[in-house]
Amino acid sequence: MLRQVGTLHDITDRRRAEDEARQMQDRITHFGRISTMGEMAAGIAHEVNQPLTAIATYAQACQRLIGTGEFSADEIAEALAHIGAQALRAGEVIRRLRTFVKNREVRRELIEANRLLEDVLTLAQTDARHNGVHISLEAAPRSPLVQADAVQIQQVILNLVRNSIDAMQGVPESRRQIVLRTHVDVEGDVEFMVADRGPGVDPSAAADVFNPFFTTKPGGMGLGLSISRSIIRAHGGKLWCTANPGGGARFFFTLPAITASAGSSQ
Ligand SMILES: Nc1ncnc2c1ncn2[C@@H]1O[C@H](COP(=O)(O)OP(=O)(O)OP(=O)(O)O)[C@@H](O)[C@H]1O
Ligand SMILES: [Mg+2]
């Protein structure tokens, strides 16, 4: 009898080990699958959409100006400079995403965390203004340094800002506010926050929002958060969301503190 119980235990243990091995294999296969062309194409389509929209907006502005017959060459030149910069950015996004999906490699450079927020503010300003959204910065004093791929981290922040702008379309204009914040946490990691005053993440969807292709938007691809999470994980950080006290959503991510050896390897 005892022997039988022992055998049963052995069988259960073996089954559990087999199950775990299978789950691990599934995860590896999934990881392999998402690194395929399909995922890459979807990722590129998603990330390049923002610079393309900006290019279209600036081009329309130029046409409008020319249509009025009252414009200065400076105004047109400025819009063209924006168009050129956004086109270069689109090319860079494709290049980085291609390397990233292929090798899951992160290019690391030492950058100021606050600088990343300021760059995103510049990139997102047209879109925000267009939607009556005000973005404010709460930058950590003595801008902490992070070691990261700047273009990819900007992309993560842009994805979060874009989601916040989308989420606030239905709220009164006085509430359409986004706060971008950097902060050094107790472990010395740099924590970034994007907070909005929209309806917040629906509790029934909270577990799913980071899954690829999960979307509640008619035109959404459901990729922004899943791409962002894999970028942050590849940097050794975490990405998560909580409710904003007073209503809305708060998305956070961390980037590891710079160690002395990481700093000196530059
Ligand atoms: N700030 C937010 N407030 C409320 N809900 C949000 C917010 N950010 C994300 N969500 C929810 O999470 C879902 C997934 O977001 P995600 O960015 O991955 O995809 P998406 O925005 O729907 O499409 P896209 O691929 O264009 O980014 C959204 O459809 C929305 O339901
Ligand atoms: Mg999105």
Side-chain angles (χ1 to χ4, degrees), residues 249-266:
R250 280 180 161 187
F251 281 81
F252 294 93
F253 67 87
T254 51
L255 292 176
I258 304 257
T259 57
S261 62
S264 62
S265 73
Q266 279 295 300

Side-chain angles (χ1 to χ4, degrees), residues 46 159 162-163 166 217 223-225:
H46 183 268
N159 285 342
R162 181 66 247 177
N163 280 349
D166 289 345
K217 301 173 195 170
L223 283 177
L225 288 178

Side-chain angles (χ1 to χ4, degrees), residues 31 35 96-106 234:
F31 196 77
S35 328
R96 296 291 176 89
L97 209 65
R98 208 197 277 138
T99 342
F100 177 63
V101 174
K102 229 164 46 193
N103 330 314
R104 299 272 145 180
E105 246 176 35
V106 173

Side-chain angles (χ1 to χ4, degrees), residues 46 49 159-160 162-168 194 196 198-202 205 208-217 219-227 248-251:
H46 183 268
N49 221 13
N159 285 342
L160 299 177
R162 181 66 247 177
N163 280 349
S164 289
I165 294 176
D166 289 345
M168 292 193 292
V194 177
D196 66 57
V201 175
D202 193 304
D208 299 321
V209 292
F210 294 100
N211 291 339
F213 305 111
F214 175 87
T215 182
T216 56
K217 301 173 195 170
M221 293 179 76
L223 283 177
L225 288 178
S226 75
I227 293 172
R250 280 180 161 187
F251 281 81

